[in-house]
Amino acid sequence: MNYKMLIHGGKPLKGSIDIQGAKNAALPVIASSLLLRDKTLRLRRVPKLQDIFTMADLLRHLGASVHFKDNEMSIFVPEELNWETPKSLVRKMRASSLVLGPLLARTKRAILPLPGGCAIGSRPIDLHLKGLARLGANIDLVHGAVHASAETLKGSKIYLDFPSVGATENLLMAAVFAEGETVIENAAREPEIKNLIETLNLMGCPIEGAGTGTLHIQGIGDLEGGEIEIIPDRIEASTYLIAGAATGGDVTVSRVIPEHLDAITAKLEEAGVGIEADEDRVRAFLKDPMKSVSLKTLPYPGFPTDVQPQFTALMAISEGTSIIQEGVFESRFLHVSELKRMGANIELQGNTAVVSGVRSLNGADVRATDLRAGAALVIAGLSTPDETSLFGLGHIWRGYERMDEKIRSLGGQVKIVVSEENGDLKW
Ligand code: UD1
Protein backbone atom coordinates (compact mmCIF):
# COMPACT_ATOMS: atom_id res chain seq x y z
CA MET A 1 0.00 0.00 0.00
CA ASN A 2 1.24 3.52 -0.81
CA TYR A 3 0.48 6.49 1.38
CA LYS A 4 0.82 10.23 1.23
CA MET A 5 0.32 13.03 3.73
CA LEU A 6 -2.18 15.67 2.64
CA ILE A 7 -1.32 18.97 4.26
CA HIS A 8 -3.72 21.88 4.23
CA GLY A 9 -1.66 24.59 5.90
CA GLY A 10 -1.98 28.27 6.60
CA LYS A 11 -3.42 27.79 10.09
CA PRO A 12 -1.29 28.78 13.10
CA LEU A 13 -0.37 25.73 15.18
CA LYS A 14 -1.35 26.33 18.80
CA GLY A 15 -1.15 24.27 21.97
CA SER A 16 1.09 21.91 23.84
CA ILE A 17 2.41 18.46 22.99
CA ASP A 18 4.42 15.81 24.83
CA ILE A 19 7.73 14.93 23.25
CA GLN A 20 8.77 11.34 22.57
CA GLY A 21 11.89 9.63 23.93
CA ALA A 22 14.93 10.31 21.76
CA LYS A 23 15.40 7.92 18.85
CA ASN A 24 19.12 8.65 18.79
CA ALA A 25 19.48 7.84 22.49
CA ALA A 26 17.28 4.73 22.40
CA LEU A 27 19.22 3.11 19.52
CA PRO A 28 22.65 2.95 21.24
CA VAL A 29 21.09 2.16 24.62
CA ILE A 30 19.25 -0.81 23.07
CA ALA A 31 22.49 -1.93 21.38
CA SER A 32 24.33 -1.72 24.72
CA SER A 33 22.14 -4.50 26.13
CA LEU A 34 24.16 -6.94 23.98
CA LEU A 35 26.92 -6.60 26.59
CA LEU A 36 24.76 -8.46 29.12
CA ARG A 37 24.94 -12.18 29.87
CA ASP A 38 21.77 -13.89 31.06
CA LYS A 39 20.43 -10.52 32.27
CA THR A 40 17.70 -8.06 31.38
CA LEU A 41 17.79 -4.36 30.52
CA ARG A 42 14.51 -2.48 30.90
CA LEU A 43 13.91 0.81 29.14
CA ARG A 44 11.19 3.41 29.62
CA ARG A 45 10.08 6.08 27.15
CA VAL A 46 11.21 4.24 24.04
CA PRO A 47 9.61 5.85 20.95
CA LYS A 48 7.59 3.61 18.64
CA LEU A 49 9.47 4.20 15.43
CA GLN A 50 10.55 2.18 12.45
CA ASP A 51 14.26 2.52 13.34
CA ILE A 52 13.58 1.19 16.83
CA PHE A 53 11.66 -1.79 15.39
CA THR A 54 14.64 -2.47 13.09
CA MET A 55 17.09 -2.39 16.02
CA ALA A 56 14.80 -4.70 18.04
CA ASP A 57 14.68 -7.14 15.09
CA LEU A 58 18.45 -7.02 14.82
CA LEU A 59 18.80 -7.95 18.50
CA ARG A 60 16.27 -10.75 18.11
CA HIS A 61 18.27 -12.07 15.18
CA LEU A 62 21.37 -12.09 17.38
CA GLY A 63 19.52 -14.16 20.00
CA ALA A 64 18.02 -11.63 22.45
CA SER A 65 14.35 -11.68 23.54
CA VAL A 66 12.84 -8.23 23.05
CA HIS A 67 9.41 -7.21 24.36
CA PHE A 68 8.14 -3.78 23.39
CA LYS A 69 4.82 -2.43 24.60
CA ASP A 70 3.49 1.03 25.53
CA ASN A 71 6.90 2.67 25.05
CA GLU A 72 8.53 0.21 27.46
CA MET A 73 11.08 -2.25 26.23
CA SER A 74 12.57 -5.22 27.99
CA ILE A 75 15.58 -6.99 26.50
CA PHE A 76 16.81 -10.33 27.84
CA VAL A 77 20.22 -11.33 26.54
CA PRO A 78 21.13 -15.04 26.90
CA GLU A 79 24.58 -16.53 27.36
CA GLU A 80 24.82 -17.59 23.70
CA LEU A 81 24.63 -14.93 20.97
CA ASN A 82 25.03 -14.98 17.19
CA TRP A 83 27.69 -12.63 15.92
CA GLU A 84 26.66 -12.23 12.32
CA THR A 85 24.23 -9.41 11.51
CA PRO A 86 21.95 -9.88 8.48
CA LYS A 87 22.33 -7.62 5.47
CA SER A 88 18.55 -7.21 5.13
CA LEU A 89 18.31 -5.39 8.50
CA VAL A 90 21.63 -3.56 8.44
CA ARG A 91 20.89 -2.08 5.02
CA LYS A 92 17.71 -0.47 6.40
CA MET A 93 19.50 1.67 8.95
CA ARG A 94 22.97 3.09 9.43
CA ALA A 95 22.63 2.92 13.21
CA SER A 96 22.83 -0.88 12.88
CA SER A 97 26.59 -0.30 13.04
CA LEU A 98 26.09 0.39 16.77
CA VAL A 99 25.95 -3.35 17.46
CA LEU A 100 29.53 -3.82 16.23
CA GLY A 101 31.29 -2.60 19.40
CA PRO A 102 29.17 -4.43 21.98
CA LEU A 103 28.96 -7.61 19.91
CA LEU A 104 32.72 -7.76 19.44
CA ALA A 105 33.30 -7.13 23.15
CA ARG A 106 30.80 -9.77 24.17
CA THR A 107 31.32 -12.58 21.62
CA LYS A 108 34.91 -11.82 20.54
CA ARG A 109 33.89 -11.48 16.90
CA ALA A 110 31.30 -9.69 14.79
CA ILE A 111 30.31 -9.52 11.14
CA LEU A 112 28.57 -6.38 9.91
CA PRO A 113 27.63 -5.68 6.28
CA LEU A 114 28.35 -2.02 5.54
CA PRO A 115 25.26 -0.16 6.75
CA GLY A 116 22.59 1.86 4.93
CA GLY A 117 20.37 4.69 6.22
CA CYS A 118 19.44 8.21 5.18
CA ALA A 119 20.54 9.44 1.77
CA ILE A 120 22.58 12.31 3.21
CA GLY A 121 25.96 11.92 1.60
CA SER A 122 28.72 9.44 2.14
CA ARG A 123 28.75 8.26 5.73
CA PRO A 124 31.73 6.00 6.33
CA ILE A 125 32.45 4.14 9.59
CA ASP A 126 36.24 4.40 9.32
CA LEU A 127 36.54 6.13 12.72
CA HIS A 128 34.64 3.28 14.39
CA LEU A 129 36.98 0.74 12.79
CA LYS A 130 40.18 2.68 13.53
CA GLY A 131 39.15 2.97 17.18
CA LEU A 132 38.34 -0.75 17.45
CA ALA A 133 41.73 -1.53 15.93
CA ARG A 134 43.37 0.67 18.62
CA LEU A 135 41.66 -1.59 21.19
CA GLY A 136 43.36 -4.56 19.57
CA ALA A 137 40.65 -5.84 17.22
CA ASN A 138 41.52 -7.40 13.86
CA ILE A 139 39.41 -5.74 11.21
CA ASP A 140 38.96 -7.10 7.67
CA LEU A 141 36.62 -6.10 4.88
CA VAL A 142 35.29 -9.20 3.13
CA HIS A 143 32.76 -8.87 0.29
CA GLY A 144 31.40 -5.55 1.59
CA ALA A 145 31.16 -6.71 5.20
CA VAL A 146 33.29 -5.81 8.23
CA HIS A 147 34.75 -8.85 9.97
CA ALA A 148 36.02 -7.92 13.43
CA SER A 149 37.63 -10.25 15.93
CA ALA A 150 39.61 -10.04 19.17
CA GLU A 151 40.32 -12.71 21.76
CA THR A 152 40.80 -9.86 24.26
CA LEU A 153 40.41 -6.14 23.79
CA LYS A 154 43.01 -3.96 25.51
CA GLY A 155 42.34 -0.51 26.98
CA SER A 156 44.01 2.20 24.95
CA LYS A 157 44.04 5.92 24.20
CA ILE A 158 41.93 6.74 21.16
CA TYR A 159 41.88 10.14 19.50
CA LEU A 160 38.91 10.69 17.17
CA ASP A 161 39.74 12.83 14.12
CA PHE A 162 36.16 14.13 14.29
CA PRO A 163 33.76 13.89 17.28
CA SER A 164 31.61 11.26 15.57
CA VAL A 165 28.50 10.36 17.56
CA GLY A 166 28.33 6.74 16.38
CA ALA A 167 32.09 6.11 16.73
CA THR A 168 32.07 7.48 20.30
CA GLU A 169 29.13 5.20 21.17
CA ASN A 170 30.59 2.09 19.55
CA LEU A 171 33.97 2.59 21.21
CA LEU A 172 32.41 3.27 24.62
CA MET A 173 30.58 -0.05 24.40
CA ALA A 174 33.59 -1.99 23.09
CA ALA A 175 35.79 -0.61 25.89
CA VAL A 176 33.53 -1.97 28.64
CA PHE A 177 35.23 -5.40 28.57
CA ALA A 178 38.68 -4.17 27.48
CA GLU A 179 41.55 -4.84 29.89
CA GLY A 180 42.44 -1.68 31.82
CA GLU A 181 41.51 1.91 31.02
CA THR A 182 40.40 3.31 27.67
CA VAL A 183 40.50 7.05 27.04
CA ILE A 184 38.52 8.52 24.13
CA GLU A 185 39.69 12.00 23.18
CA ASN A 186 37.73 14.41 20.99
CA ALA A 187 34.66 12.35 21.87
CA ALA A 188 31.22 13.58 20.81
CA ARG A 189 29.37 15.45 23.57
CA GLU A 190 25.76 14.92 22.45
CA PRO A 191 23.20 14.42 25.26
CA GLU A 192 22.32 11.04 23.74
CA ILE A 193 25.86 9.86 24.55
CA LYS A 194 25.34 10.93 28.16
CA ASN A 195 22.23 8.72 28.22
CA LEU A 196 24.31 5.76 26.98
CA ILE A 197 27.00 6.45 29.61
CA GLU A 198 24.33 6.57 32.34
CA THR A 199 23.14 3.16 31.14
CA LEU A 200 26.65 1.65 31.15
CA ASN A 201 27.29 3.16 34.60
CA LEU A 202 24.03 1.68 35.85
CA MET A 203 25.05 -1.73 34.48
CA GLY A 204 28.28 -1.43 36.51
CA CYS A 205 30.95 0.01 34.19
CA PRO A 206 32.69 3.08 35.62
CA ILE A 207 32.90 5.84 33.00
CA GLU A 208 33.97 9.40 33.68
CA GLY A 209 33.69 12.54 31.61
CA ALA A 210 30.08 12.29 30.35
CA GLY A 211 29.24 15.47 28.46
CA THR A 212 32.90 16.36 27.90
CA GLY A 213 35.28 15.62 25.04
CA THR A 214 37.41 13.18 27.08
CA LEU A 215 35.92 9.92 28.31
CA HIS A 216 37.64 7.49 30.70
CA ILE A 217 36.30 3.92 30.71
CA GLN A 218 37.51 1.32 33.21
CA GLY A 219 37.15 -2.13 31.68
CA ILE A 220 35.35 -4.70 33.82
CA GLY A 221 34.48 -8.42 33.67
CA ASP A 222 30.68 -8.55 33.70
CA LEU A 223 27.63 -6.29 33.84
CA GLU A 224 24.35 -6.21 35.76
CA GLY A 225 20.90 -5.67 34.28
CA GLY A 226 18.89 -2.59 35.20
CA GLU A 227 16.26 -0.07 34.22
CA ILE A 228 16.72 3.35 32.61
CA GLU A 229 14.65 6.11 30.98
CA ILE A 230 15.41 7.44 27.53
CA ILE A 231 15.94 11.22 27.39
CA PRO A 232 13.50 13.48 25.48
CA ASP A 233 13.96 13.81 21.72
CA ARG A 234 15.45 17.29 21.16
CA ILE A 235 15.12 16.92 17.38
CA GLU A 236 11.41 16.12 17.52
CA ALA A 237 10.89 19.03 19.96
CA SER A 238 12.80 21.42 17.68
CA THR A 239 10.72 20.34 14.70
CA TYR A 240 7.44 21.28 16.41
CA LEU A 241 8.82 24.58 17.74
CA ILE A 242 9.89 25.51 14.21
CA ALA A 243 6.54 24.36 12.80
CA GLY A 244 4.84 26.66 15.32
CA ALA A 245 6.98 29.61 14.23
CA ALA A 246 6.51 28.87 10.51
CA THR A 247 2.73 29.02 10.93
CA GLY A 248 2.76 32.17 13.06
CA GLY A 249 1.52 30.05 15.97
CA ASP A 250 2.23 29.37 19.62
CA VAL A 251 3.56 25.90 20.44
CA THR A 252 4.75 24.48 23.75
CA VAL A 253 6.79 21.28 23.86
CA SER A 254 6.49 19.43 27.17
CA ARG A 255 8.64 16.83 28.95
CA VAL A 256 11.81 18.21 27.37
CA ILE A 257 15.19 19.26 28.76
CA PRO A 258 15.25 22.96 27.72
CA GLU A 259 19.05 23.14 27.84
CA HIS A 260 19.24 20.55 25.02
CA LEU A 261 17.32 23.00 22.82
CA ASP A 262 19.53 26.05 23.49
CA ALA A 263 21.13 26.17 20.01
CA ILE A 264 17.67 26.16 18.37
CA THR A 265 15.88 28.53 20.74
CA ALA A 266 18.78 31.03 20.44
CA LYS A 267 18.37 31.06 16.63
CA LEU A 268 14.58 31.27 16.87
CA GLU A 269 14.86 34.29 19.22
CA GLU A 270 17.31 35.94 16.85
CA ALA A 271 14.75 35.43 14.07
CA GLY A 272 12.04 37.21 16.09
CA VAL A 273 10.32 34.31 17.85
CA GLY A 274 9.38 34.69 21.51
CA ILE A 275 10.76 31.90 23.70
CA GLU A 276 9.76 30.96 27.24
CA ALA A 277 11.19 28.02 29.12
CA ASP A 278 10.59 26.46 32.51
CA GLU A 279 11.86 23.26 34.06
CA ASP A 280 10.66 20.85 31.40
CA ARG A 281 8.78 22.92 28.82
CA VAL A 282 9.67 25.35 26.06
CA ARG A 283 7.18 27.68 24.39
CA ALA A 284 7.78 29.39 21.02
CA PHE A 285 5.39 32.10 19.82
CA LEU A 286 5.59 34.61 17.03
CA LYS A 287 6.35 38.09 18.42
CA ASP A 288 7.63 40.02 15.42
CA PRO A 289 7.69 39.28 11.69
CA MET A 290 10.24 36.52 11.06
CA LYS A 291 13.69 37.78 10.12
CA SER A 292 16.34 35.77 8.33
CA VAL A 293 19.28 34.52 10.40
CA SER A 294 22.38 32.62 9.34
CA LEU A 295 23.85 29.51 10.90
CA LYS A 296 26.35 26.70 10.59
CA THR A 297 25.67 23.18 11.81
CA LEU A 298 28.24 21.74 14.20
CA PRO A 299 28.63 18.89 16.67
CA TYR A 300 26.83 19.46 20.02
CA PRO A 301 26.51 22.00 21.60
CA GLY A 302 26.48 23.62 18.14
CA PHE A 303 23.38 23.87 15.96
CA PRO A 304 22.33 20.26 15.14
CA THR A 305 22.55 19.07 11.55
CA ASP A 306 19.33 17.12 12.20
CA VAL A 307 17.45 20.43 12.51
CA GLN A 308 19.08 22.13 9.51
CA PRO A 309 16.43 21.07 6.93
CA GLN A 310 13.55 22.24 9.17
CA PHE A 311 15.27 25.57 9.83
CA THR A 312 15.95 26.00 6.12
CA ALA A 313 12.20 25.64 5.52
CA LEU A 314 11.57 28.37 8.11
CA MET A 315 14.15 30.68 6.56
CA ALA A 316 12.48 30.17 3.16
CA ILE A 317 9.55 32.29 4.44
CA SER A 318 11.50 34.80 6.56
CA GLU A 319 12.34 38.36 5.61
CA GLY A 320 15.86 38.77 4.21
CA THR A 321 18.65 36.41 3.21
CA SER A 322 19.96 33.56 5.30
CA ILE A 323 23.24 31.71 4.83
CA ILE A 324 22.99 28.13 6.02
CA GLN A 325 26.21 26.14 6.16
CA GLU A 326 26.29 22.40 6.69
CA GLY A 327 29.30 21.66 8.86
CA VAL A 328 28.70 18.02 9.81
CA PHE A 329 27.72 16.13 6.65
CA GLU A 330 29.28 16.25 3.25
CA SER A 331 25.95 16.85 1.56
CA ARG A 332 22.64 17.34 3.26
CA PHE A 333 20.52 19.55 1.06
CA LEU A 334 18.22 17.06 -0.68
CA HIS A 335 15.22 18.98 0.72
CA VAL A 336 16.24 22.10 -1.21
CA SER A 337 14.99 20.95 -4.63
CA GLU A 338 11.64 19.99 -3.08
CA LEU A 339 11.35 23.32 -1.22
CA LYS A 340 12.03 25.06 -4.53
CA ARG A 341 9.06 23.21 -6.07
CA MET A 342 7.04 24.94 -3.37
CA GLY A 343 8.32 28.36 -4.43
CA ALA A 344 11.33 28.74 -2.14
CA ASN A 345 14.21 30.85 -3.41
CA ILE A 346 17.32 28.90 -2.45
CA GLU A 347 20.67 28.77 -4.16
CA LEU A 348 23.11 25.99 -3.32
CA GLN A 349 26.82 26.74 -3.30
CA GLY A 350 28.62 23.56 -2.28
CA ASN A 351 27.80 22.94 1.35
CA THR A 352 26.06 26.28 1.79
CA ALA A 353 22.47 27.26 1.05
CA VAL A 354 21.68 30.90 0.37
CA VAL A 355 18.02 31.27 1.27
CA SER A 356 16.23 34.44 0.13
CA GLY A 357 12.97 34.58 2.00
CA VAL A 358 9.69 34.80 0.06
CA ARG A 359 6.34 36.04 1.39
CA SER A 360 4.77 32.59 1.24
CA LEU A 361 5.24 29.18 -0.36
CA ASN A 362 2.82 27.39 -2.65
CA GLY A 363 1.46 23.86 -2.34
CA ALA A 364 2.98 21.10 -4.51
CA ASP A 365 3.50 17.34 -4.76
CA VAL A 366 6.78 16.75 -2.94
CA ARG A 367 8.76 13.80 -1.77
CA ALA A 368 10.70 13.13 1.45
CA THR A 369 14.16 11.91 0.51
CA ASP A 370 15.35 11.42 4.07
CA LEU A 371 13.96 11.71 7.57
CA ARG A 372 14.63 15.37 8.38
CA ALA A 373 14.10 16.50 4.79
CA GLY A 374 10.61 15.03 5.22
CA ALA A 375 10.10 17.06 8.39
CA ALA A 376 11.18 20.22 6.53
CA LEU A 377 8.55 19.58 3.86
CA VAL A 378 5.83 19.08 6.48
CA ILE A 379 6.76 22.47 7.97
CA ALA A 380 6.75 24.08 4.52
CA GLY A 381 3.33 22.52 3.78
CA LEU A 382 1.91 23.74 7.10
CA SER A 383 3.03 27.29 6.34
CA THR A 384 0.97 27.69 3.17
CA PRO A 385 -2.83 27.71 2.77
CA ASP A 386 -2.46 25.63 -0.42
CA GLU A 387 -2.64 21.87 -0.40
CA THR A 388 0.61 19.88 -0.34
CA SER A 389 0.91 16.14 -0.98
CA LEU A 390 3.95 14.62 0.71
CA PHE A 391 5.20 11.25 -0.53
CA GLY A 392 7.94 9.04 0.92
CA LEU A 393 6.34 8.89 4.36
CA GLY A 394 8.44 5.86 5.30
CA HIS A 395 11.28 8.26 6.04
CA ILE A 396 9.12 10.22 8.47
CA TRP A 397 7.99 7.13 10.36
CA ARG A 398 11.64 6.32 10.99
CA GLY A 399 11.85 9.25 13.39
CA TYR A 400 8.49 10.81 14.31
CA GLU A 401 5.95 9.01 16.47
CA ARG A 402 2.32 9.76 15.44
CA MET A 403 3.35 12.95 13.66
CA ASP A 404 -0.02 13.47 11.95
CA GLU A 405 -1.94 13.07 15.23
CA LYS A 406 0.39 15.47 17.04
CA ILE A 407 -0.03 18.12 14.33
CA ARG A 408 -3.82 17.71 14.40
CA SER A 409 -3.77 18.15 18.20
CA LEU A 410 -2.14 21.55 17.56
CA GLY A 411 -4.91 22.46 15.14
CA GLY A 412 -3.06 21.65 11.92
CA GLN A 413 -4.90 20.03 9.04
CA VAL A 414 -3.03 16.94 7.92
CA LYS A 415 -4.18 13.46 7.03
CA ILE A 416 -2.59 10.28 5.78
CA VAL A 417 -4.36 8.81 2.77
CA VAL A 418 -3.81 5.81 0.55
CA SER A 419 -2.31 6.94 -2.70
CA GLU A 420 -2.57 5.53 -6.21
CA GLU A 421 0.37 7.67 -7.31
CA ASN A 422 4.11 7.17 -6.87
CA GLY A 423 3.74 3.41 -6.68
CA ASP A 424 7.41 3.01 -5.82
CA LEU A 425 7.01 4.69 -2.44
CA LYS A 426 6.35 1.61 -0.34
CA TRP A 427 7.11 1.66 3.40
C1 UD1 B 1 24.29 10.50 14.48
C2 UD1 B 1 22.79 10.61 14.45
C3 UD1 B 1 22.33 11.43 13.27
C4 UD1 B 1 23.03 12.80 13.27
C5 UD1 B 1 24.54 12.64 13.41
C6 UD1 B 1 25.26 13.96 13.58
C7 UD1 B 1 22.12 8.52 15.49
C8 UD1 B 1 21.48 7.20 15.34
N1 UD1 B 1 22.22 9.27 14.40
O1 UD1 B 1 24.67 9.84 13.29
O2 UD1 B 1 20.92 11.60 13.34
O3 UD1 B 1 22.74 13.46 12.08
O4 UD1 B 1 24.85 11.83 14.55
O5 UD1 B 1 24.78 14.63 14.68
O6 UD1 B 1 22.49 8.93 16.56
N2 UD1 B 1 32.10 10.17 9.85
C9 UD1 B 1 33.22 9.69 9.23
N3 UD1 B 1 33.71 8.49 9.66
C10 UD1 B 1 33.15 7.79 10.67
C11 UD1 B 1 32.01 8.31 11.30
C12 UD1 B 1 31.52 9.50 10.88
O7 UD1 B 1 33.75 10.28 8.29
O8 UD1 B 1 33.65 6.71 11.02
C13 UD1 B 1 31.53 11.46 9.37
C14 UD1 B 1 30.16 11.23 8.77
O9 UD1 B 1 30.27 10.87 7.40
C15 UD1 B 1 29.52 12.58 8.96
C16 UD1 B 1 30.10 13.04 10.29
O10 UD1 B 1 31.28 12.29 10.48
O11 UD1 B 1 29.92 13.45 7.95
C17 UD1 B 1 29.15 12.88 11.46
O12 UD1 B 1 28.82 11.54 11.62
P1 UD1 B 1 28.46 10.92 13.04
O13 UD1 B 1 28.64 11.93 14.11
O14 UD1 B 1 29.20 9.63 13.18
O15 UD1 B 1 26.93 10.62 12.85
P2 UD1 B 1 26.13 9.28 13.09
O16 UD1 B 1 26.59 8.65 14.38
O17 UD1 B 1 26.13 8.47 11.88
Side-chain angles (χ1 to χ4, degrees):
M1 199 96 78
N2 303 310
Y3 295 89
K4 65 180 176 182
M5 188 187 281
L6 278 182
I7 309 169
H8 227 118
K11 251 185 102 189
L13 295 188
K14 285 194 173 156
S16 172
I17 44 166
D18 274 1
I19 290 309
Q20 69 194 27
K23 165 178 91 71
N24 288 353
L27 289 169
V29 167
I30 294 171
S32 76
S33 68
L34 289 171
L35 291 162
L36 295 172
R37 253 173 225 281
D38 252 339
K39 307 251 168 51
T40 300
L41 179 65
R42 292 196 169 78
L43 310 175
R44 300 188 303 274
R45 207 175 176 185
V46 180
K48 285 191 195 146
L49 301 168
Q50 196 52 54
D51 276 7
I52 302 292
F53 299 143
T54 303
M55 186 57 97
D57 283 346
L58 192 49
L59 262 69
R60 287 188 187 105
H61 175 92
L62 295 170
S65 308
V66 184
H67 296 280
F68 187 21
K69 201 173 168 226
D70 300 332
N71 299 107
E72 298 203 348
M73 185 178 276
S74 137
I75 310 163
F76 171 76
V77 181
E79 182 68 38
E80 289 298 317
L81 280 180
N82 298 326
W83 59 85
E84 188 163 355
T85 56
K87 203 189 256 182
S88 55
L89 290 173
V90 174
R91 280 274 154 87
K92 281 191 185 173
M93 179 179 73
R94 175 179 160 86
S96 310
S97 59
L98 292 173
V99 302
L100 186 61
L103 203 54
L104 172 65
R106 172 65 165 72
T107 66
K108 303 181 192 296
R109 70 208 117 169
I111 299 182
L112 180 88
L114 286 172
C118 279
I120 49 178
S122 120
R123 297 175 75 177
I125 57 164
D126 55 317
L127 300 174
H128 304 227
L129 302 182
K130 255 167 80 178
L132 292 175
R134 288 280 297 175
L135 294 175
N138 299 308
I139 308 281
D140 292 305
L141 275 178
V142 184
H143 303 305
V146 175
H147 288 233
S149 63
E151 211 31 58
T152 48
L153 291 170
K154 292 203 175 9
S156 178
K157 190 164 172 173
I158 303 170
Y159 177 82
L160 291 178
D161 297 339
F162 180 86
S164 153
V165 174
T168 303
E169 293 167 342
N170 238 333
L171 296 171
L172 268 168
M173 293 187 275
V176 165
F177 293 149
E179 281 173 4
E181 185 184 72
T182 297
V183 181
I184 308 177
E185 302 229 60
N186 201 24
R189 291 184 282 160
E190 270 67 3
E192 292 75 20
I193 291 175
K194 233 170 147 180
N195 208 184
L196 172 64
I197 292 176
E198 270 166 22
T199 310
L200 296 172
N201 278 335
L202 173 91
M203 296 200 288
C205 179
I207 300 177
E208 280 175 21
T212 77
T214 305
L215 302 173
H216 292 258
I217 306 114
Q218 303 301 331
I220 51 158
D222 201 11
L223 292 178
E224 291 302 318
E227 180 165 337
I228 194 122
E229 181 162 306
I230 300 299
I231 59 166
D233 195 315
R234 62 196 169 98
I235 311 300
E236 190 207 22
S238 305
T239 302
Y240 290 114
L241 291 177
I242 294 171
T247 58
D250 186 344
V251 167
T252 298
V253 287
S254 303
R255 297 185 70 207
V256 297
I257 299 174
E259 187 195 325
H260 292 174
L261 300 169
D262 280 351
I264 291 92
T265 49
K267 280 292 158 193
L268 286 172
E269 273 188 310
E270 207 182 314
V273 179
I275 298 286
E276 279 174 13
D278 63 20
E279 214 170 281
D280 69 347
R281 284 182 308 179
V282 174
R283 173 181 171 216
F285 53 98
L286 206 61
K287 232 173 36 176
D288 302 312
M290 290 278 306
K291 288 190 305 280
S292 289
V293 293
S294 294
L295 63 88
K296 179 172 184 180
T297 67
L298 289 168
Y300 190 84
F303 192 96
T305 174
D306 285 354
V307 185
Q308 180 263 105
Q310 301 89 312
F311 210 86
T312 302
L314 182 67
M315 290 299 98
I317 49 167
S318 301
E319 202 183 305
T321 300
S322 161
I323 311 289
I324 298 194
Q325 280 178 275
E326 178 52 53
V328 176
F329 285 104
E330 195 173 90
S331 84
R332 192 174 195 171
F333 282 115
L334 290 172
H335 46 289
V336 165
S337 57
E338 298 302 282
L339 287 172
K340 282 167 103 168
R341 287 156 77 93
M342 299 180 70
N345 183 355
I346 306 175
E347 199 191 315
L348 273 185
Q349 297 170 359
N351 237 357
T352 300
V354 181
V355 189
S356 304
V358 296
R359 195 174 284 276
S360 80
L361 298 174
N362 52 260
D365 285 4
V366 287
R367 176 180 183 143
T369 43
D370 68 56
L371 167 54
R372 308 302 170 185
L377 295 170
V378 171
I379 291 170
L382 287 168
S383 76
T384 163
D386 293 354
E387 188 171 271
T388 296
S389 293
L390 174 62
F391 296 91
L393 295 185
H395 289 292
I396 289 196
W397 305 142
R398 289 187 45 211
Y400 291 91
E401 199 176 59
R402 300 181 288 107
M403 187 189 230
D404 53 320
E405 271 177 48
K406 287 191 176 182
I407 293 173
R408 281 196 294 274
S409 79
L410 295 171
Q413 290 180 300
V414 295
K415 62 180 173 190
I416 310 282
V417 296
V418 173
S419 164
E420 301 283 302
E421 309 142 77
N422 284 25
D424 57 325
L425 296 173
K426 288 204 177 105
W427 51 275

